[in-house]
Amino acid sequence: MSNVSFVDDNLILSECFVQRRYDNLKRMILEKSFEFTDFIIEANEIFAFHVSKNNPLSKIYEMDCYVVKFVFSSISQLHEDKQEEILRQLLEKLDNYIKSHSGYYNLRIPTHIVDLLKAVNIVFEDTIFCGGTVEEVIHGKFVDNCNENNLDIKFPEKVLIDENKELLMGMTLESFKSYQGQYHVSNVTQGKAGIIYENWIRESMESIENKNMVVASKDNIPVGFVTIKETDNAVEGVLSAVDPGNRKLGAYRAMISFLINYANENKKSFVTSTQFDNYIVQGVWNSLGLKPFYSIYNIHIDNR
């Protein structure tokens, strides 16, 4: 399939990928169910972008930081001269917007839309390539019980979370100590990149409840967890960590297999994402049957 609809939302796109249908998403885009900062209509199709302020980063860096996402009602994954020209015009609109709104921008470029990549290279000169992420999904399949060490895998009681918040926080910060994300790559943001992820972890831990996380325990002591986001159609694995001293217990594989089966029991997909170079985690996913369905390049533009 060369023509698809696109919105930078993994839970919506995973449903399209599983069903091999984009007609409902296309209808939503044409009805302008999503926010657009600016757009072009060509042959009754919408080509749009949306700029939103990244408030946590803006606070950390004391400057305006923005995220740019794209929306297309119908887009070819193959090169077409006319399509490249439309996307060039769209990015010229974005370029004008950026020039009139000083700040630091992260453009999330879907890797499968070649003409958008070509248009980025034509329109923008001083960009910072900061790697990318891949989204993976599994639907309609049970997987084998991967809990070889008989860990207690479950949605925990609130008391377990309350009693072990410091332990959970500690293992998460330790797990992310050597993490290298997109903000570590950019020379503009690298100095405070660690603070970004530490703040994200702290905010995530403050909002966890027994209904939005799965915990793996050994002898009633947590050794790992995965926080989740759940919709009518999908369960997303968001933040995960395993106690570095208990990695050999297989807690991560056990928790992901638990979530895959939980999603399947509820007739939902399981979705999750990571950096391109996080090969160990992707290896676990692929061995359990997850498949990639889209990916993003992070391209930064410094216009302070």
Side-chain angles (χ1 to χ4, degrees):
M1 181 185 297
S2 61
N3 275 74
V4 294
S5 300
F6 177 81
V7 62
D8 194 355
D9 184 308
N10 59 355
L11 298 181
I12 292 176
L13 275 192
S14 65
E15 184 179 1
C16 296
F17 177 82
V18 166
Q19 297 180 353
R20 295 295 192 271
R21 292 183 57 180
Y22 292 83
D23 52 331
N24 187 52
L25 175 56
K26 179 175 181 175
R27 176 187 57 77
M28 292 172 64
I29 294 171
L30 292 176
E31 291 176 351
K32 299 184 179 178
S33 300
F34 303 98
E35 291 186 85
F36 307 149
T37 299
D38 208 341
F39 61 93
I40 291 174
I41 296 179
E42 180 70 30
N44 297 318
E45 302 292 352
I46 290 178
F47 302 81
F49 65 83
H50 178 61
V51 181
S52 60
K53 190 170 183 179
N54 187 325
N55 290 314
L57 260 67
S58 298
K59 183 176 181 180
I60 290 171
Y61 289 100
E62 298 180 337
M63 64 180 182
D64 292 330
C65 298
Y66 300 96
V67 178
V68 181
K69 295 185 177 183
F70 293 89
V71 182
F72 305 117
S73 62
S74 180
I75 194 86
S76 175
Q77 299 175 82
L78 305 176
H79 169 65
E80 297 176 0
D81 289 340
K82 178 62 175 177
Q83 178 173 270
E84 181 185 338
E85 173 60 22
I86 295 169
L87 294 177
R88 183 189 63 78
Q89 293 175 19
L90 181 69
L91 290 189
E92 286 177 347
K93 286 176 173 284
L94 175 58
D95 185 39
N96 290 332
Y97 180 94
I98 291 173
K99 288 176 179 175
S100 62
H101 298 78
S102 64
Y104 190 80
Y105 290 78
N106 173 25
L107 279 59
R108 290 176 50 88
I109 307 296
T111 64
H112 60 294
I113 302 176
V114 64
D115 284 336
L116 185 59
L117 287 168
K118 290 168 69 70
V120 167
N121 290 332
I122 292 170
V123 174
F124 298 106
E125 295 180 355
D126 298 320
T127 59
I128 308 168
F129 178 67
C130 294
T133 56
V134 60
E135 305 278 349
E136 299 203 9
V137 63
I138 185 171
H139 179 83
K141 295 180 181 179
F142 281 102
V143 298
D144 292 336
N145 184 346
C146 297
N147 191 5
E148 297 177 356
N149 288 289
N150 297 316
L151 300 174
D152 185 17
I153 312 291
K154 64 184 180 182
F155 293 99
E157 298 293 332
K158 187 176 185 300
V159 63
L160 179 68
I161 298 173
D162 293 340
E163 290 178 351
N164 291 278
K165 269 202 172 181
E166 288 188 14
L167 175 64
L168 294 169
M169 174 69 78
M171 75 170 66
T172 310
L173 293 173
E174 184 66 26
S175 294
F176 276 78
K177 184 179 292 185
S178 60
Y179 182 76
Q180 296 290 296
Q182 61 175 306
Y183 298 105
H184 290 90
V185 177
S186 169
N187 63 327
V188 176
T189 56
Q190 63 182 349
K192 295 182 178 180
I195 299 174
I196 297 172
Y197 298 103
E198 182 177 333
N199 285 359
W200 174 56
I201 290 166
R202 292 188 184 280
E203 290 171 3
S204 297
M205 297 304 293
E206 288 171 0
S207 64
I208 59 174
E209 299 175 358
N210 57 320
K211 296 180 180 179
N212 68 356
M213 74 180 305
V214 165
V215 171
S217 299
K218 183 73 172 178
D219 299 326
N220 295 317
I221 298 175
V223 295
F225 71 89
V226 180
T227 65
I228 66 169
K229 177 181 177 182
E230 189 167 359
T231 66
D232 291 340
N233 299 302
V235 176
E236 179 186 10
V238 183
L239 172 65
S240 63
V242 172
D243 177 21
N246 287 288
R247 292 188 186 276
K248 293 183 179 181
L249 294 176
Y252 184 71
R253 179 184 291 272
M255 291 186 293
I256 295 300
S257 62
F258 176 93
L259 284 169
I260 291 171
N261 290 334
Y262 165 76
N264 194 35
E265 288 167 0
N266 289 278
K267 302 187 184 331
K268 299 181 181 184
S269 300
F270 176 71
V271 179
T272 191
S273 63
T274 192
Q275 293 179 185
F276 287 156
D277 59 336
N278 195 352
Y279 305 124
I280 293 176
V281 164
Q282 291 178 59
V284 172
W285 298 348
N286 297 157
S287 70
L288 293 172
L290 278 85
K291 296 181 179 180
F293 65 100
Y294 88 103
S295 53
I296 290 291
Y297 290 130
N298 291 300
I299 295 179
H300 294 194
I301 295 176
D302 185 10
N303 183 53
R304 290 173 294 168

